[in-house]
Amino acid sequence: MSAQPLRLYKSLLRLIPNYPSSNAPKLLVSVREEFRLNKGLEGQELKKAIGEAEEGVKHLRQYVFEEGSPNWQVTSTQNPMPKKD
């Protein structure tokens, strides 16, 4: 595993226990399993998985107060409740 996925994995493992949700323990198990399953990815598949992990870290940081970064700004990249036609 290269440095970037390992860095993302460690970030997720640090952030998830402080995520304000009753599903945090399940999320932690899910992240561990997904990284285990994806450890052999290469090329475009690896880039896609890294992008998804980066979005996950970004999302968690919006809700988890980290020491030294009191930024409570929340932004959304997509409409969480799209209108159905």
Side-chain angles (χ1 to χ4, degrees):
M1 188 179 289
S2 68
Q4 187 178 14
L6 187 57
R7 179 182 49 81
L8 290 168
Y9 181 67
K10 288 180 179 182
S11 293
L12 287 166
L13 293 182
R14 277 192 303 270
L15 291 167
I16 290 171
N18 299 312
Y19 186 58
S21 170
S22 59
N23 291 329
K26 291 178 185 176
L27 184 58
L28 190 61
V29 169
S30 176
V31 165
R32 285 184 173 145
E33 287 177 3
E34 191 159 343
F35 269 82
R36 225 176 271 129
L37 290 172
N38 292 337
K39 70 180 178 180
L41 293 181
E42 294 180 359
Q44 290 294 17
E45 290 179 334
L46 178 60
K47 288 180 183 180
K48 182 180 177 189
I50 287 173
E52 290 173 4
E54 287 172 340
E55 284 297 315
V57 168
K58 187 175 169 183
H59 177 78
L60 287 169
R61 284 191 174 142
Q62 291 178 346
Y63 295 98
V64 174
F65 181 74
E66 293 182 284
E67 190 174 323
S69 64
N71 181 2
W72 287 92
Q73 180 180 3
V74 177
T75 56
S76 178
T77 56
Q78 318 179 321
N79 183 359
M81 299 179 72
K83 293 180 183 178
K84 293 184 180 182
D85 293 336

